Amino acid sequence: MAETTAEGIPSPEGDVHIIDTDYNVGQDNLEGSVGPFGFDIHNPVFLISGLTIVAFVLLTLIFQDSASAAFSWLFNFATKQFDWYFLGAANIFVIFSLVLIVSPYGSVRLGGTEAQPEYSYFSWFAMLFAAGMGIGLMFFGVLEPVYHMAVSSPLGLESPIAEDGSIIQDQVAAARNAGLAATVFHWALHPWAIYAVVALALALFSYNKQLPLSLRSAFYPLFGDRVWGWLGHCIDIIAVFATLFGLATSLGLGAQQANAGLQHVFGIPLNTTSQIFIIMGVTAVALVSVLRGLDGGVKILSEVNMAIAALLLFFVFLVGPTLSILGDFFGGLTTYIRDVVPLSNPVGRDDDSFREGWTSFYWAWWISWSPFVGMFIARVSRGRTVREFITCVILIPSIVSVFWMAVFGGTAIEQVITNPETSQVKNYVIDNYNAPLSLFGMLGEMPLGMITSTVAIVLVLVFFVTSSDSGSLVIDTITAGGKTDAPKPQRVFWCVAEGLVAIVLLIGGGLEALQAMVNATGLFFTLVLLVMCGAIWKGLANERRVQVKGTQPTE
């Protein structure tokens, strides 16, 4: 087990190229206590970020009507005017990640030539998956495949559902494969490549270069000691905003879906008030997990989540149309491989609804999530080689996501195609759009519908908790100047702030407000990630490459 520095960062094991800088982790921090509560915050990152978030909450509540209109304008502006920007950047991240896998730099080990993984593959994958996409898969797993098959028309797809609601059988096979492929496009290679870029940068410059575990550290090869000044402050502040609003969007989606499930099963009213109470309750549970730390809170909840998710996944797979699901898995994956280039094309397309309303938002959302997920992945990935790291971070979650969409989306499509007159999914997705209820509509048409719907509600809530507490740990690290062992009251502050931002965005404009702030922060942070790719390449150039003989986790 590696020794840990005073700042909570493990010391390198074996050969590394430590960056020689006069900067000490936490040297700009303000330390002290207020009564029994200590603080250790980076000046000015914590102060600017915290005060701006407080002001945002207050102004949104005071000017609620004006805020709603502003959020609507912002969402349309970002998705319609900058769709080419988001699509082009995401393509660069995929290409960059794939090049690293096959390059000699793939044999660089994170943490030094002798470093060993701290977590087993199961624990590692569980934490990757729970932090990366949990709530999103629950919310969109049924909705998106059905919607793309019948409504959004990606790449000029012909809908198999006629205006009178009847099914055009000749168009069913192509439409369901195209709908699943479009969904896979949003949940597989591109988002995980975005996460991998940020996670690799953080792990490399913290564990190998011994710089603070903060976004600014990744830019040292390009800007030198200027990253400790206002250039670095701006990078970290943008990262805080991106993370906070990305998390708020996920928490808002999770609250809407949990509320929909509670109405479906227990008759609880479906409204903003109920969603506010759900966010408050989950935030309270997340606080307990935050106080328990990474191993005592996030790790345990992630493993519980994986077990519940696997149980629900295989129930639907075995009880649902199993053979049809297998066909959807291979058909959707094959169509995705065939269409990934035209789907990724940022210019010269006429599927505006799909490209702007879905892909542009998704890429901005994943980019906004990348500081949070990237730092979290970096903290649990020490000891992996670059090749192992990128391969596992990109391919394993992508395959699981494809299977998840084939199981839930394929089952829902089969229900729509087989019984269009009575399908609850058709009602919630195509006829009377009600996205949060789509999952429960699908489960309601299967055996043990009330039980599985209850399990789904629990799963959404636990994913909710893991996202909140993981995000709190990450934002706290950024605003503590890269320290990973800052006083716990700071984590509590950010956990509460996440809940408050999600609540005021729901009040100030609902889902559109959540999406608008994700797109706005994503615009700025995309540029940060593009520059980061160059810094990673330069940072890997002077690291010693090792011959991998296999590693075992130390736990």
Side-chain angles (χ1 to χ4, degrees):
M1 179 69 71
E3 294 181 359
T4 303
T5 66
E7 296 79 24
I9 300 173
S11 299
E13 297 178 277
D15 291 339
V16 294
H17 184 269
I18 295 176
I19 289 178
D20 184 17
T21 174
D22 293 332
Y23 184 83
N24 295 313
V25 177
Q27 72 175 35
D28 295 326
N29 284 20
L30 301 176
E31 300 182 51
S33 60
V34 178
F37 304 111
F39 61 86
D40 189 353
I41 58 177
H42 187 278
N43 179 35
V45 173
F46 183 96
L47 297 176
I48 293 176
S49 302
L51 291 175
T52 302
I53 294 300
V54 171
F56 173 83
V57 169
L58 293 175
L59 290 173
T60 302
L61 291 175
I62 293 171
F63 301 104
Q64 183 176 332
D65 294 337
S66 299
S68 180
F71 290 138
S72 178
W73 174 86
L74 182 60
F75 175 71
N76 290 324
F77 173 75
T79 55
K80 295 181 184 299
Q81 301 301 319
F82 290 93
D83 56 307
W84 58 271
Y85 172 66
F86 288 126
L87 267 69
N91 294 338
I92 292 174
F93 302 138
V94 171
I95 294 169
F96 178 73
S97 298
L98 296 178
V99 168
L100 283 179
I101 290 176
V102 300
S103 76
Y105 296 151
S107 58
V108 172
R109 190 180 298 282
L110 301 174
T113 55
E114 304 299 326
Q116 296 292 307
E118 299 178 33
Y119 298 99
S120 67
Y121 275 116
F122 178 80
S123 295
W124 189 39
F125 291 153
M127 287 188 281
L128 293 181
F129 201 73
M133 291 185 172
I135 290 176
L137 287 176
M138 294 295 294
F139 192 91
F140 292 102
V142 168
L143 167 69
E144 199 172 346
V146 175
Y147 190 87
H148 294 328
M149 177 196 71
V151 181
S152 67
S153 301
L155 301 179
L157 169 73
E158 292 287 340
S159 174
I161 300 179
E163 293 185 3
D164 61 1
S166 62
I167 305 299
I168 306 172
Q169 293 297 331
D170 291 345
Q171 298 177 6
V172 168
R176 71 189 299 161
N177 285 339
L180 285 162
T183 305
V184 169
F185 173 61
H186 292 149
W187 293 88
L189 198 60
H190 285 76
W192 288 99
I194 293 168
Y195 294 160
V197 166
V198 179
L200 177 60
L202 290 165
L204 174 66
F205 288 97
S206 177
Y207 300 142
N208 293 60
K209 311 295 186 181
Q210 285 295 277
L211 296 179
L213 188 62
S214 189
L215 271 296
R216 70 174 72 198
S217 297
F219 296 88
Y220 192 91
L222 301 179
F223 302 108
D225 286 331
R226 283 178 291 174
V227 299
W228 313 129
W230 274 102
L231 174 65
H233 299 339
C234 292
I235 291 171
D236 281 349
I237 290 168
I238 293 172
V240 170
F241 292 153
T243 304
L244 197 65
F245 288 116
L247 279 168
T249 299
S250 298
L251 300 184
L253 292 175
Q256 290 179 342
Q257 188 168 39
N259 189 190
L262 290 169
Q263 182 201 42
H264 182 75
V265 178
F266 303 109
I268 293 176
L270 181 60
N271 53 40
T272 302
T273 301
S274 298
Q275 291 158 22
I276 289 173
F277 279 109
I278 290 171
I279 293 174
M280 292 171 61
V282 171
T283 300
V285 177
L287 283 173
V288 177
S289 181
V290 162
L291 293 173
R292 289 178 59 87
L294 187 64
D295 290 331
V298 178
K299 177 174 175 286
I300 293 174
L301 281 174
S302 297
E303 292 177 351
V304 169
N305 238 16
M306 282 290 287
I308 299 174
L311 181 66
L312 183 62
L313 179 69
F314 284 103
F315 172 84
V316 176
F317 175 68
L318 295 173
V319 177
T322 305
L323 293 178
S324 176
I325 289 171
L326 290 174
D328 287 330
F329 175 80
F330 292 107
L333 183 58
T334 302
T335 306
Y336 166 67
I337 294 172
R338 184 195 71 192
D339 290 344
V340 66
V341 173
L343 285 169
S344 304
N345 176 29
V347 295
R349 292 167 57 178
D350 55 10
D351 53 351
D352 293 350
S353 174
F354 175 78
R355 189 183 69 260
E356 296 173 354
W358 288 88
T359 304
S360 182
F361 160 68
Y362 266 128
W363 287 181
W365 190 15
W366 302 144
I367 289 168
S368 293
W369 258 53
S370 64
F372 150 52
V373 180
M375 186 173 290
F376 185 73
I377 292 174
R379 290 187 65 174
V380 299
S381 300
R382 185 180 178 276
R384 310 286 179 183
T385 66
V386 170
R387 183 171 295 113
E388 176 189 20
F389 172 85
I390 295 179
T391 300
C392 292
V393 168
I394 291 180
L395 294 185
I396 300 300
S398 292
I399 292 172
V400 174
S401 297
V402 173
F403 186 63
W404 183 283
M405 294 303 180
V407 171
F408 285 84
T411 300
I413 288 174
E414 188 68 18
Q415 291 175 353
V416 171
I417 298 300
T418 305
N419 298 297
E421 297 84 5
T422 60
S423 171
Q424 295 182 49
V425 174
K426 182 174 181 290
N427 181 41
Y428 294 141
V429 177
I430 301 171
D431 299 334
N432 302 291
Y433 188 80
N434 193 335
L437 275 172
S438 58
L439 171 64
F440 302 103
M442 184 272 288
L443 294 175
E445 295 186 36
M446 300 183 68
L448 306 176
M450 299 300 284
I451 295 175
T452 55
S453 293
T454 303
V455 171
I457 295 169
V458 173
L459 190 56
V460 169
L461 292 174
V462 180
F463 271 132
F464 204 156
V465 173
T466 56
S467 295
S468 180
D469 59 12
S470 302
S472 301
L473 292 171
V474 168
I475 296 176
D476 181 46
T477 300
I478 297 173
T479 57
K483 290 187 175 182
T484 60
D485 56 354
K488 292 181 178 179
Q490 294 170 209
R491 303 178 197 172
V492 171
F493 170 81
W494 289 114
C495 188
V496 172
E498 291 162 20
L500 284 175
V501 169
I503 288 171
V504 299
L505 286 173
L506 283 175
I507 293 173
L511 179 59
E512 191 170 46
L514 296 165
Q515 293 173 322
M517 294 310 299
V518 162
N519 279 275
T521 53
L523 283 173
F524 295 101
F525 204 68
T526 299
L527 180 60
V528 173
L529 263 64
L530 289 170
V531 178
M532 186 182 288
C533 292
I536 292 172
W537 191 266
K538 192 170 182 179
L540 286 170
N542 50 25
E543 284 295 319
R544 181 180 174 186
R545 300 185 285 276
V546 298
Q547 187 69 34
V548 182
K549 299 179 180 179
T551 55
Q552 295 294 328
T554 57
E555 71 170 2

